[in-house]
Amino acid sequence: MPEEFDAAYWEHRYRTHPALRRPVPGPQLTAETDGLAPGLALDAGCGEGADAVWLASRGWHVTAVDVSPTALERAREHAASALGEDRAHRIDWVEADLTSWTPPERRYDLVTTEYVHAGSAPAELYARLAAAVAPGGTLLVVGHHPADEHTAARLSEHVHFTADEVAAGLDAAWEVLTAENRTRRSEGHGGATLHDAVLRARRLP
Ligand SMILES: C[S@@+](CC[C@H](N)C(=O)[O-])C[C@H]1O[C@@H](n2cnc3c(N)ncnc32)[C@H](O)[C@@H]1O
């Protein structure tokens, strides 16, 4: 993992920034998975848990992984208050480094990862995440597109990718359903226009 985005970086970032007051799930996740029947999901790089909680509220059982203990602590608290104790048990929070942690193969009906700048070899990470998708299941990868001037100005270039680059790592066992550069208006950052790379693919049954 490059020094700037290692475990210490993320932990320090969460410790020095207040918890999100109202964690909201990513718009690409909600748009791309809305019609899926709930099952087992993996949220890789879950942060403060907004995506995992949203999925659990819709019936998914989620394994939510992050390298930052502070983020996971906040995520647990958010799940307990948003879901109640009963449904909060639908989420297993796992502290692990995605650059070395390998999820079980062909296990999850949905594997999702949003804006995770995890290491200098993203293709390897996405290959491991893709391998974790069950037959008939969905892979969703969302990140910063190279056209995103806002993040390009402050993040190193290896953070950016296109959906086609991720799709190129998938073989004939996959059907690519979405591969787009999608814009959205930022809630913060002065309302800047952000560009997301959005890749959704389905492993054929
Ligand atoms: C920009 S945040 C995005 C959080 C969440 N996915 C979202 O969309 O709101 C990136 C997250 O990825 C986590 N992360 C980064 N590198 C990681 C790694 N190598 N292993 C596990 N988690 C990592 C960070 O701790 C952080 O919570």
Side-chain angles (χ1 to χ4, degrees):
M1 188 184 322
E3 199 177 304
E4 65 192 289
F5 289 128
D6 62 8
Y9 166 88
W10 286 109
E11 179 60 8
H12 179 261
R13 183 175 164 75
Y14 281 109
R15 280 180 182 246
T16 54
H17 288 71
L20 294 172
R21 259 181 303 160
R22 193 174 53 88
V24 289
Q28 315 305 355
L29 172 79
T30 57
E32 294 294 326
T33 66
D34 195 33
L36 299 180
L40 288 183
L42 171 64
D43 180 4
C46 62
E48 294 177 55
D51 288 355
V53 166
W54 182 79
L55 288 166
S57 75
R58 301 173 71 87
W60 291 85
H61 289 259
V62 186
T63 298
V65 179
D66 205 281
V67 76
S68 162
T70 297
L72 289 169
E73 185 56 34
R74 292 175 180 177
R76 274 194 200 89
E77 287 169 11
H78 171 48
S81 69
L83 298 170
E85 287 301 327
D86 281 359
R87 293 190 303 166
H89 285 126
R90 290 180 186 163
I91 308 175
D92 289 325
W93 304 102
V94 177
E95 184 184 327
D97 185 339
L98 292 166
T99 62
S100 53
W101 183 78
T102 302
E105 288 196 9
R106 302 196 173 210
R107 169 120 173 93
Y108 299 97
D109 304 298
L110 170 66
V111 173
T112 173
T113 186
E114 294 208 292
Y115 315 106
V116 173
H117 325 312
S120 55
E124 290 171 20
L125 170 63
Y126 298 140
R128 279 200 301 283
L129 295 179
V133 176
T138 296
L139 173 69
L140 177 65
V141 178
V142 178
H144 301 302
H145 188 277
D148 195 314
E149 289 177 15
H150 178 75
T151 53
R154 60 189 179 88
L155 301 177
S156 56
E157 66 186 44
H158 74 260
V159 163
H160 299 85
F161 61 84
T162 67
D164 286 341
E165 286 166 0
V166 181
L170 301 175
D171 63 18
W174 292 86
E175 177 187 15
V176 173
L177 300 168
T178 304
E180 289 181 16
N181 166 14
R182 197 174 283 167
T183 57
R184 65 187 163 94
R185 182 72 59 185
S186 167
E187 302 253 324
H189 312 306
T193 297
L194 304 180
H195 294 252
D196 287 337
V198 183
L199 182 280
R200 177 164 63 99
R202 176 171 167 265
R203 186 192 284 285
L204 299 175

